[in-house]
Amino acid sequence: MDIRQLRPEEFEASLSLSEYAFQYKVSGEARAESRMKFKPERVWGGFEEGVLGAELTLLPLQVYIQGKAVRMGGIAGVATWPENRRQGLVAKLLRHTLQTMNEAGQTLSFLHPFLIPFYRRFGWEVYCEYKKYSIPVAMFPRKTEIQGSIMRDTAELEILEQLYSRFAAEYNGTLQRDRDWWKRSVLDEDTHHCVFYSELGEPEGYVLYKIEKKELVIDEFVYLNEKARQGLWTFLANHDSMITGALLKLVPSDDMLPYLLPDPRIQQESYPYFMARIVNAEAFVNNFSFRGQNSIQKCTLYIEDEHAPWNDGLWQWTVTEQGEATLSRVEGTKDTADLSCTIGTLTVLLLGYKRPSELARYGQLTGKAEAVQWLEDIVPQSKTALFDFF
């Protein structure tokens, strides 16, 4: 199989495969617009005798990790013809893409899985989840006297960007959005927004929402403090004469809204969402901030990663008193390591989705008890989220 980036003249072949795999149809003006937006350099294809058999899109994105932007390769649109399935085409594409991301300095990769067990085989692991609430209007949060003001559908995009960035940077794994992403993937002509301003005129929160069939559909609820949260909910509750309830989507898993309601017994669901994978363990750990200890600390870690051989093997993990880390390859086997885990387990451990002690409890992280405790001590408590889709 020949693996390469697509060419501009291969737009139709790419779109036809996507249409078949994802069961949709693009025609007329929409097809012409898709052709104009087609970026063949981002689409990698597997070809057999010159015929496109499988493809995926590799997006150059950045995500927040510990409040800083980190380069991430977003994988989307993985597709193959049914006659080519179970022949290893997608597996070869994924391995090639890992190499491409590593060479490009993208230390992380995210994707939305069609089948979680399939991508777990290649090192991706679920790293975040989200909640969804359905709240009848009679169970809305109580209205409060707003110490500030609400402005609807008047804010410049720059204000939404600034508020989102401050809110998103509190989580690991949230997307750093550029202006094009906002216009193409977040906002549309049916989306309303409202912004809460403090008494001093400072923007402190916003809501993106639609009104559909007498229901508030809230796509994004961002606030920097409790006053802004209450003010935004008071604005939403003032729709009570024209709606029957609200649907909140992509709510962060640490959200406390039900507890804060007069009656928390609303319909609420929790969903595993995106998967993440460390592409280059050495580079990722070396740029991660850990909790410093009273002296330089060391541990040996065996990483299992058959699809990225530059990660696979035994490493010495050193953390200074200031929390700076280095991961250095050393000679040895899994049997000689203080700790051992897969690249997927290491990913969710460092992003903060799961703690070292609970991963050890269920056999996902194995090794010496004192080494597990060492990780528990040095890895900072974090929370994960993602408010976007690709």
Side-chain angles (χ1 to χ4, degrees), residues 146 149-156 159-160 189-197 205-211 216 231-232 235-236 238-239 242:
I146 299 176
S149 61
I150 293 282
M151 300 292 289
R152 177 181 51 82
D153 292 339
T154 60
E156 297 291 334
I159 292 176
L160 301 182
E189 60 184 11
D190 297 322
T191 300
H192 296 282
H193 69 266
C194 70
V195 176
F196 175 84
Y197 294 87
Y206 71 80
V207 173
L208 303 181
Y209 68 98
K210 300 178 179 71
I211 303 176
L216 278 173
L232 291 168
F235 167 80
L236 296 172
N238 284 336
H239 290 75
M242 53 188 292

Side-chain angles (χ1 to χ4, degrees), residues 30-61:
R31 199 173 190 89
E33 186 177 351
S34 294
R35 182 186 292 274
M36 291 180 60
K37 294 180 178 179
F38 181 55
K39 296 182 178 180
E41 71 278 4
R42 294 185 177 181
V43 184
W44 288 85
F47 294 82
E48 296 280 4
E49 298 182 355
V51 178
L52 180 64
E55 68 177 1
L56 62 78
T57 300
L58 179 57
L59 301 170
L61 302 171

